[in-house]
Amino acid sequence: MSETQKNTPAPQPSTWAKIAGGNIGLSIGAVLASFILGGLLIAATDPATQKAASYFFARPTDTLVAGWTAATEAYMALFQGAFYNPAGRSFAQQIRPITETLTVATPLIFAGLAVALSFRAGLFNIGAQGQVILGALVSGWVAINAGLPAAATIPLIILGGIIGGGIWGGIIGLLKAKTGAHEVILSIMMNYIAANLLVYLLKTPLLQREGSSNPISEQLGADAVYPLLLGNPFRLHLGFIIALLAVLFVSWLLNRSTLGFRLRAVGANPNAATTAGISVSNSYIIVMAISGALAGLAGSAQVAGTEKVISTGIAGSLGFDAITVALLGRSTPWGTFWAALLFGAFRAGGVTMQVSTGTDIDIVLVLQALIVLFIAAPPLVRAIFRLPNPQGVPHKKSARKSKKAQEA
Amino acid sequence: MKLELRKVTKRFGDFTANDSIDLTVTPGSVHCLLGENGAGKSTLMNVIFGLYRPTEGQIYIDDQPVNFKGPEDAMAAGIGMVHQHFMLVPVFTVAENVALGSESVKGLTLDLETTRQKIREISDRYGFEVDPDALVEDLPVGVQQRVEIIKALVREAQVLILDEPTAVLTPAETDQLLGIMDQLRKDGKSLLFISHKLREVREISDDITVIRRGKVVGQADPSMSSSELASLMVGKEVQLTVDKEEPTYTDKLFEVENLTLIGDNGVPLLKEVSFQVRGGEILAVAGVQGNGQTELAETIIGLHPKATGSMKLGGKELLGLKTKQVLAAGVGFVPEDRNKDGLVGDFSIAENLILDLYDRPQFSAAGSLKKAAIAENARQAGDLFDIRMGSIEHHASTLSGGNQQKIVVARELSRDLELFVASQPTRGVDVGSIEFIHKRIVQERDKGLPVIIVSTELDEVYGLADRIAVFFHGELMWVVPADTPRSVLGQMMAGASYSEALEAENQDQARPTTPWSEGE
């Protein structure tokens, strides 16, 4: 170790941290703004509206009415698909959408927490994807091979997710702490390794389903899956409860624990933390291990809760959606929770929307992208909704306003 | 060119930074704007320079009303500003920096020759001794500042605003700057000089306007004594010297032997430094910024594990310990840059007050923070150290410099100490807080602790020291008594040995020596 403590990589709070630390008005504003833009997009791509637009100058109201109808119907369908279906024939059918939303949101909560936690310690863990995969691999392997009763297998599955993701994240922290390499580059590379490791292992006897030539594992046994919370036909599983516990844990960790105090200090001012005797490099290793463990739990929830099998698509785009979720949730545990729920609702409702109104489900991706875009450009949202600027120097408009107030 | 402000008011929301300020700077004079930190001086400068628009009031140049939309307008009108933090590109040459923003071009290529010519002209006229082809990053701070002045002069500024120009300068460089200001004044320029250092203000100013909490509280005369000026500035009688008894030594001892630190580029930052500090005395470390004092303080606290030699506190070796262990051994440490190393701006006041104590049993149990104890600690510290704050939950970054510094000092003094080390304990702190912090430091000494104060402010050094250690180029030149004349100390800070400095001083006997303390 030739590095002196002073030379340990100690970045100043980055632009990311600032973006992640915006206020709640900003998050809500970003969601609203993207809904408005998304609505315009739905209207513009709607065949009826396009038809009416061909004679726009003769009867402009037709176009506007058609566009309004298209957008509101699509959003209504999205809402019904995500929360409550009034047309359902039984109570179970009526409330099924909200349980779907919670199911889809479960892995997003874990992965979102993982990214949010790293943000708070001043790190950008872009590697949640890889950590989810490793969590899924270890959990899945345990689930398939444990051969124990459910009461013993399920804790082992959870532990497997924690260990798999934790090690994968911890490696990033270790490399950063010891060599000063940038965590973004490290975590992108670790994502590649994880993705290819998954494909490779699914083709080896270790995981590949017997007799199959496809990269897919055995189906998980009945003793090796998360129990359903509401029974059939709902898919909502134990993972959601664990996710709630994870939110409480991260909340305690960040706000009440000495470790969290230390991690936040490192994130907000690594120099002052060093001077106060806090080891910045150790903090990086610890936070990346915990962050990885949380992401790993998302992998467990996918394997043992939703999918019940390990496939190459087990992690989907969870790791990247998680970044969005953490940003929208302003890197707070509960903010992340609600943001994950919103994204879960998008996913669950998007399917219904496509089926009942013909609006392409990809609009949901556009909405998500717009939200991130607005969050990354706070002045835009502030200008649209006239939110105050938190940074000292007042906004031109509000300055003008206060001047008016004085004159009055 | 005459610059005049009439009833200039600047408000930010409910906060009035400048309240109806009247100010006139006449050609061929130096007008000083004197005020504490946070009095509204910088806001006013930014209003004059076009960075802010006045909420009310009007600026006049040669009796013509002007409205600046930005610094470009102000510059075009003949106003030049030398910022406290230089606006220079370090890897550019002097000429390139001066040309930046107003480049003359020949076809598609940059024509630096004209700029070089102008720089030489100005440099010769005022004796700046600036080489147009030197890289800015290679120049000493004082010369960089002259480059800033040249920048303004090349743009034909007639009014020159100098925002706390001496804050970054050595005593010798300060004298040079005052000389330059005098020449500019003789040349008919109007100078607006912002400062809170009373000695300089009295030396150079023709007129003095004192502002307090955004308001002009009066005009002062340069012939007024420092304590009169200081009391105008803070609104109460201020004690500039520190009351202290003769030291009562205790057996607590801090010994440093052959402490050496080599920088990453192979340059020695500390060269075999040896000294002792006894319990009950204050050793003030004097020296021009950047001569190893910062590294000394950082090494003591364990931030430079590569250092060699020995540092023993009460017989216990500190060298080789981690920062946490050094703190646990009873070393209190106030870093020189509170914003960078002392505070987490985004943490609450309460959290900052336990930044290095958070895991002690007093404030935590089983990995959880004791919120009630932390809040109670913050309230106590707030009362004890007179930290002016809205709530202990407010972010530290919302406080003024003086109150921020009180947080750091309060935190470091809130545990049982064996040694207290403070770097620049009152830098950027208002006069009222300086007095308070100095008193607390003397209290620690009187409790029998060895105390080390690193300061580039000679007033502070003389005010606190029982003995003075002078650093030059990483070497401890000598440890001298506290009553060593300023001029002798100044020579040693420039590299002379004690005997050389004394000799030079004796030869200079004809000239009366400068008294070290002001306002007596």
Side-chain angles (χ1 to χ4, degrees):
Chain A
M1 275 293 289
S2 64
E3 296 261 318
T4 65
Q5 252 177 296
K6 266 271 152 178
N7 294 339
T8 334
Q12 287 301 313
S14 60
T15 318
W16 298 320
K18 280 184 207 147
I19 292 170
N23 61 24
I24 190 159
L26 193 65
S27 291
I28 294 170
V31 172
L32 283 178
S34 51
F35 263 97
I36 295 166
L37 265 184
L40 290 175
L41 196 67
I42 293 170
T45 53
D46 173 53
T49 315
Q50 284 169 351
K51 205 174 152 201
S54 64
Y55 55 89
F56 179 81
F57 291 103
R59 288 227 312 270
T61 44
D62 275 16
T63 315
L64 297 178
V65 168
W68 175 256
T69 314
T72 47
E73 276 182 359
Y75 282 146
M76 274 307 288
L78 185 69
F79 180 84
Q80 287 176 4
F83 297 104
Y84 180 75
N85 178 14
R89 267 167 304 194
S90 62
F91 179 68
Q93 275 189 5
Q94 284 168 353
I95 63 154
R96 191 182 147 78
I98 180 74
T99 66
E100 272 304 291
T101 293
L102 297 182
T103 311
V104 180
T106 299
L108 278 175
I109 297 171
F110 287 119
L113 287 173
V115 177
L117 185 67
S118 70
F119 269 143
R120 293 292 286 274
L123 294 181
F124 194 33
N125 178 13
I126 211 171
Q129 186 74 8
Q131 294 144 23
V132 173
I133 291 174
L134 261 287
L137 272 174
V138 178
S139 287
W141 182 82
V142 168
I144 293 164
N145 296 298
L148 295 167
T153 311
I154 287 168
L156 284 177
I157 291 173
I158 296 169
L159 197 64
I162 291 173
I163 290 172
I167 289 176
W168 213 246
I171 291 172
I172 297 171
L174 190 72
L175 286 173
K176 180 174 175 81
K178 297 295 174 200
T179 69
H182 200 287
E183 77 275 8
V184 167
I185 297 172
L186 290 173
S187 52
I188 292 175
M189 296 309 137
M190 294 296 277
N191 283 351
Y192 281 126
I193 298 172
N196 288 298
L197 185 68
L198 173 70
V199 175
Y200 169 75
L201 288 177
L202 282 173
K203 286 178 185 165
T204 62
L206 187 69
L207 282 180
Q208 192 169 31
R209 186 179 294 183
E210 220 164 294
S212 169
S213 59
N214 294 326
I216 195 158
S217 75
E218 295 286 350
Q219 197 77 22
L220 267 57
D223 280 345
V225 295
Y226 286 169
L228 297 176
L229 293 181
L230 303 170
N232 268 324
F234 305 111
R235 294 199 301 158
L236 191 63
H237 53 76
L238 179 69
F240 182 69
I241 300 294
I242 304 172
L244 277 177
L245 293 176
V247 174
L248 292 173
F249 168 73
V250 174
S251 192
W252 171 82
L253 181 72
L254 278 174
N255 301 321
R256 308 287 311 204
S257 75
T258 52
L259 178 62
F261 184 86
R262 174 177 155 182
L263 299 179
R264 283 188 291 124
V266 168
N269 186 348
N271 290 316
T274 308
T275 309
I278 296 168
S279 163
V280 173
S281 26
N282 283 350
S283 303
Y284 284 157
I285 302 173
I286 294 170
V287 77
M288 282 308 294
I290 301 177
S291 174
L294 286 164
L297 284 172
S300 311
Q302 280 293 87
V303 168
T306 320
E307 305 287 330
K308 302 185 178 73
V309 68
I310 313 174
S311 67
T312 52
I314 189 76
S317 60
L318 266 175
F320 304 105
D321 294 343
I323 298 167
T324 327
V325 165
L327 283 175
L328 183 60
R330 297 166 297 121
S331 301
T332 65
W334 284 105
T336 303
F337 173 79
W338 291 113
L341 246 49
L342 179 72
F343 276 43
F346 278 160
R347 286 293 154 82
V351 181
T352 313
M353 180 179 73
Q354 183 163 22
V355 172
S356 63
T357 68
T359 309
D360 201 290
I361 192 167
D362 288 342
I363 197 77
V364 163
L365 294 177
V366 175
L367 282 177
Q368 289 181 9
L370 284 172
I371 290 174
V372 179
L373 195 142
F374 280 118
I375 285 191
L380 204 59
V381 179
R382 279 196 212 104
I384 297 173
F385 296 100
R386 310 219 160 176
L387 295 172
N389 186 345
Q391 272 102 36
V393 185
H395 205 253
K396 271 184 192 156
K397 259 182 196 132
S398 54
R400 222 178 289 148
K401 233 183 271 168
S402 65
K403 192 178 170 184
K404 261 182 217 154
Q406 281 156 22
E407 281 160 3
Chain B
M1 211 168 75
K2 187 171 83 171
L3 173 75
E4 193 181 352
L5 272 63
R6 290 188 203 152
K7 303 258 167 259
V8 167
T9 298
K10 177 69 194 171
R11 293 196 188 93
F12 297 105
D14 295 334
F15 176 67
T16 308
N18 294 139
D19 191 354
S20 193
I21 303 261
D22 289 317
L23 187 78
T24 309
V25 191
T26 49
S29 74
V30 175
H31 192 125
C32 176
L33 192 62
L34 182 66
E36 285 191 272
N37 287 299
K41 293 172 296 182
S42 294
T43 310
L44 192 65
M45 291 314 105
N46 288 332
V47 169
I48 299 175
F49 198 54
L51 285 162
Y52 294 144
R53 304 251 208 114
T55 317
E56 282 157 31
Q58 183 68 50
I59 301 171
Y60 296 86
I61 287 181
D62 286 336
D63 297 317
Q64 296 299 310
V66 287
N67 289 299
F68 299 140
K69 292 198 174 66
E72 310 78 35
D73 292 358
M75 280 192 273
I79 295 178
M81 180 142 169
V82 177
H83 295 270
Q84 193 175 353
H85 304 285
F86 304 150
M87 308 287 168
L88 297 171
V89 184
V91 294
F92 277 15
T93 66
V94 171
E96 285 168 335
N97 265 292
V98 172
L100 194 66
S102 61
E103 303 88 349
S104 42
V105 285
K106 249 185 213 154
L108 285 174
T109 52
L110 193 61
D111 174 26
L112 279 178
E113 201 38 56
T114 329
T115 314
R116 278 200 197 94
Q117 205 54 52
K118 280 190 200 159
I119 294 172
R120 283 197 203 99
E121 238 174 75
I122 293 170
S123 184
D124 289 347
R125 189 149 107 219
Y126 299 107
F128 280 177
E129 290 167 32
V130 173
D131 171 13
D133 294 313
L135 282 182
V136 163
E137 61 186 352
D138 297 338
L139 298 175
V141 175
V143 181
Q144 292 191 14
Q145 191 169 51
R146 279 178 238 160
V147 176
E148 283 279 13
I149 298 175
I150 291 174
K151 260 169 74 179
L153 293 178
V154 163
R155 289 166 177 74
E156 279 156 17
Q158 294 301 316
V159 177
L160 212 57
I161 306 172
L162 298 139
D163 187 4
E164 306 249 4
T166 59
V168 287
L169 300 185
T170 66
E173 284 174 327
T174 302
D175 288 342
Q176 283 175 2
L177 176 71
L178 295 182
I180 287 171
M181 286 168 66
D182 187 42
Q183 284 194 41
L184 290 166
R185 161 167 63 188
K186 286 185 181 136
D187 218 28
K189 311 272 186 207
S190 321
L191 279 86
L192 186 52
F193 174 49
I194 297 152
S195 183
H196 60 254
K197 294 192 185 168
L198 305 171
R199 201 158 42 95
E200 298 153 11
V201 170
R202 288 168 61 209
E203 212 169 308
I204 191 75
S205 305
D206 298 300
D207 311 290
I208 301 172
T209 297
V210 185
I211 68 170
R212 186 165 74 225
R213 294 203 195 110
K215 278 186 195 154
V216 173
V217 291
Q219 306 293 324
D221 194 277
S223 62
M224 284 167 87
S225 75
S226 286
S227 44
E228 280 175 299
L229 284 177
S231 49
L232 253 181
M233 191 159 87
V234 297
K236 60 174 180 183
E237 288 293 323
V238 175
Q239 204 179 356
L240 281 171
T241 50
V242 186
D243 268 340
K244 60 179 176 25
E245 308 288 318
E246 282 298 303
T248 319
Y249 298 113
T250 63
D251 54 1
K252 291 184 177 176
L253 185 66
F254 182 58
E255 301 165 281
V256 173
E257 231 170 287
N258 292 329
L259 196 63
T260 300
L261 176 68
I262 311 292
D264 287 338
N265 49 6
V267 178
L269 299 168
L270 291 174
K271 289 181 224 164
E272 306 201 341
V273 171
S274 303
F275 63 87
Q276 293 191 342
V277 193
R278 285 197 273 171
E281 72 163 343
I282 297 176
L283 179 76
V285 177
V288 174
Q289 181 89 52
N291 275 286
Q293 314 96 303
T294 307
E295 286 75 15
L296 174 69
E298 287 175 352
T299 305
I300 293 174
I301 203 69
L303 292 171
H304 293 291
K306 279 193 293 185
T308 57
S310 150
M311 305 184 296
K312 287 202 179 98
L313 178 60
K316 189 184 176 219
E317 181 63 56
L318 291 185
L319 198 71
L321 296 187
K322 292 192 166 133
T323 305
K324 199 169 187 67
Q325 296 165 317
V326 176
L327 293 170
V331 180
F333 179 64
V334 176
E336 66 173 40
D337 185 338
R338 60 177 162 272
N339 289 315
K340 182 165 159 269
D341 297 318
L343 291 169
V344 179
D346 286 343
F347 270 24
S348 72
I349 293 161
E351 287 178 315
N352 270 297
L353 281 163
I354 57 153
L355 199 61
D356 53 10
L357 306 164
Y358 68 96
D359 54 357
R360 306 233 167 159
Q362 193 187 351
F363 297 119
S364 69
S368 274
L369 296 170
K370 292 180 185 164
K371 291 269 178 179
I374 292 167
E376 183 50 35
N377 172 65
R379 277 190 289 273
Q380 275 177 12
D383 289 345
L384 209 57
F385 282 80
D386 188 28
I387 303 170
R388 314 266 170 89
M389 54 185 170
S391 145
I392 57 165
E393 291 306 318
H394 285 177
H395 284 186
S397 57
T398 61
L399 297 183
S400 72
N403 283 311
Q404 289 182 341
Q405 189 71 359
K406 282 184 191 168
I407 293 184
V408 180
V409 175
R411 178 180 74 217
E412 297 306 309
L413 294 183
S414 67
R415 55 200 156 91
D416 291 332
L417 293 184
E418 297 293 319
L419 169 70
F420 184 58
V421 182
S423 257
Q424 312 293 357
T426 58
R427 176 180 281 177
V429 167
D430 55 276
V431 176
S433 305
I434 290 178
E435 193 186 337
F436 184 83
I437 291 171
H438 281 172
K439 269 190 192 151
R440 290 298 314 212
I441 291 171
V442 172
Q443 268 180 31
E444 292 306 307
R445 156 198 187 256
D446 293 344
K447 277 190 208 160
L449 289 189
V451 175
I452 299 175
I453 300 297
V454 176
S455 181
T456 49
E457 297 283 339
L458 283 185
D459 291 339
E460 183 163 73
V461 168
Y462 278 115
L464 290 173
D466 293 310
R467 289 186 299 148
I468 303 172
V470 185
F471 269 71
F472 181 71
H473 284 185
E475 265 180 277
L476 176 57
M477 299 304 287
W478 206 268
V479 180
V480 298
D483 56 2
T484 309
R486 242 174 215 270
S487 50
V488 172
L489 206 60
Q491 299 217 22
M492 290 172 71
M493 282 162 71
S497 73
Y498 188 40
S499 51
E500 282 168 9
L502 273 182
E503 209 170 293
E505 175 68 14
N506 289 334
Q507 281 170 7
D508 250 3
Q509 276 299 341
R511 208 190 56 179
T513 49
T514 328
W516 55 266
S517 78
E518 306 178 41
E520 289 183 337

